[in-house]
Amino acid sequence: MADGEAYEILALKYGTHANRVRADNFLFADDHASPHPIDYFVWVIRNERRTVLVDTGFTHTEAKERGRILDHEPRDLLKLIGIDPETIENVIISHLHFDHAGTLDHFRAAQFHLQETEMGYATGRCMCDEILRRPFNVEHVCQMVRNVYSGRVQFHDGDAEIAPGITVHQAPGHSKGLQCVRVLTNSGWVVLAADASHLYENFEQRRPFPIVVDVEATLRSYDRLEALASSRRHIIPGHDPLVLNRYPPLNERTRGLVHRLDLPRLD
Ligand SMILES: [Zn+2]
Ligand SMILES: [Zn+2]
């Protein structure tokens, strides 16, 4: 085992998009019309010394506008497992899409960790094109700008250590400044891919998700995820409903809502 602190990692499933087909999830999907729902997650990385949140989800209002099912706001799931969202000091934002950066104001003590490239992308000329700005919500982006002005954003440019045993790494392609998170656990190095791979099938079959800025970069990011993780089985895709089948719940009460990703896979 490498040096550093080991952590527990929790996947908190806060929503679902049931009404999807394979063509929504894979470029050039062969069987494009068969149903293929996705889940929405935020992630908690914690040990006795610190708690770090990865991504902030979205709200009931946004769910309604976009036709998603929001089971819980992420802050309510945090409270369910005994974490006060107002006390979290470090929040890693994988990228600024609506389902990852949507409840920033629920985390009033937080410093937000973001790739500089992502902020430039979300506020720059690419947002003049409707197809590129569609996955963003301008209110979230403006809120992040306000956080910059109040000294609450730590920008990273590539690899960076957030805490001993927790690092971020650029994995662009789906968005320009997407970052994944590598975490040391007692089972090895786990990589939270977020949208660097929405589903297991995206990276395993080298079949990118259709919301994409750069297909080549997406493919290279799959290589990066594999290089960073202890094995392919240590990569956690950002939206795959299989995650809840493959890892045990934190406890019986949280089955289907909060599962442990630092433990070995069940399959
Ligand atoms: Zn995304
Ligand atoms: Zn997403």
Side-chain angles (χ1 to χ4, degrees), residues 58-68 98 136-137 140:
F58 56 86
T59 59
H60 288 287
T61 317
E62 179 111 26
K64 212 170 168 185
E65 280 169 16
R66 293 188 185 250
R68 269 61 169 173
F98 79 94
F136 293 91
N137 176 321
H140 306 162

Side-chain angles (χ1 to χ4, degrees), residues 27-263:
L27 267 185
F28 316 122
D30 40 8
D31 176 14
H32 59 275
S34 52
H36 207 276
I38 62 169
D39 284 345
Y40 292 94
F41 298 96
V42 297
W43 300 271
V44 167
I45 303 164
R46 69 178 180 184
N47 64 13
E48 53 290 337
R49 292 195 197 175
R50 58 180 68 86
T51 298
V52 175
L53 179 68
V54 180
D55 290 340
T56 57
F58 56 86
T59 59
H60 288 287
T61 317
E62 179 111 26
K64 212 170 168 185
E65 280 169 16
R66 293 188 185 250
R68 269 61 169 173
I69 299 164
L70 193 81
D71 303 313
H72 305 272
E73 285 191 349
R75 63 176 165 184
D76 295 328
L77 286 180
L78 289 164
K79 287 177 197 160
L80 179 76
I81 56 170
I83 297 172
D84 177 359
E86 305 258 339
T87 64
I88 295 178
E89 292 179 359
N90 288 288
V91 176
I92 298 168
I93 299 293
S94 65
H95 62 311
L96 287 168
H97 284 173
F98 79 94
D99 53 323
H100 297 262
T103 67
L104 299 174
D105 57 329
H106 296 177
F107 302 93
R108 285 189 280 194
Q111 283 282 317
F112 296 99
H113 296 268
L114 185 67
Q115 290 287 322
E116 191 175 353
T117 316
E118 183 68 359
M119 193 55 144
Y121 177 57
T123 53
R125 67 186 300 172
C126 286
M127 295 304 105
C128 298
D129 289 301
E130 198 277 332
I131 196 169
L132 294 177
R133 69 173 176 257
R134 199 179 295 169
F136 293 91
N137 176 321
V138 66
E139 298 307 325
H140 306 162
V141 176
C142 289
Q143 214 161 21
M144 193 57 97
V145 171
R146 284 192 201 98
N147 288 331
V148 173
Y149 274 71
S150 56
R152 292 181 56 212
V153 177
Q154 288 184 32
F155 284 114
H156 302 291
D157 184 14
D159 303 344
E161 183 180 73
I162 306 303
I166 306 174
T167 50
V168 293
H169 308 269
Q170 274 186 355
H174 163 71
S175 190
K176 251 191 180 167
L178 178 61
Q179 59 185 353
C180 64
V181 186
R182 184 183 196 230
V183 185
L184 187 60
T185 71
N186 288 326
S187 311
W189 289 102
V190 170
V191 172
L192 297 171
D195 289 1
S197 191
H198 289 64
L199 303 158
Y200 283 105
E201 229 178 310
N202 293 125
F203 81 89
E204 286 176 355
Q205 309 286 331
R206 295 307 199 253
R207 300 171 67 160
F209 193 80
I211 297 175
V212 62
V213 179
D214 183 333
V215 172
E216 184 186 2
T218 302
L219 293 166
R220 294 295 73 79
S221 290
Y222 296 152
D223 299 340
R224 192 83 208 278
L225 297 175
E226 291 177 348
L228 289 166
S230 284
S231 80
R232 284 181 118 196
R233 292 169 61 84
H234 288 75
I235 297 170
I236 312 293
H239 289 277
D240 203 321
L242 283 174
V243 168
L244 297 186
N245 299 338
R246 291 182 171 177
Y247 291 91
L250 175 63
N251 57 53
E252 269 317 306
R253 207 165 54 100
T254 70
R255 184 176 290 278
L257 290 176
V258 183
H259 286 229
R260 290 265 313 254
L261 307 178
D262 55 299
L263 298 175

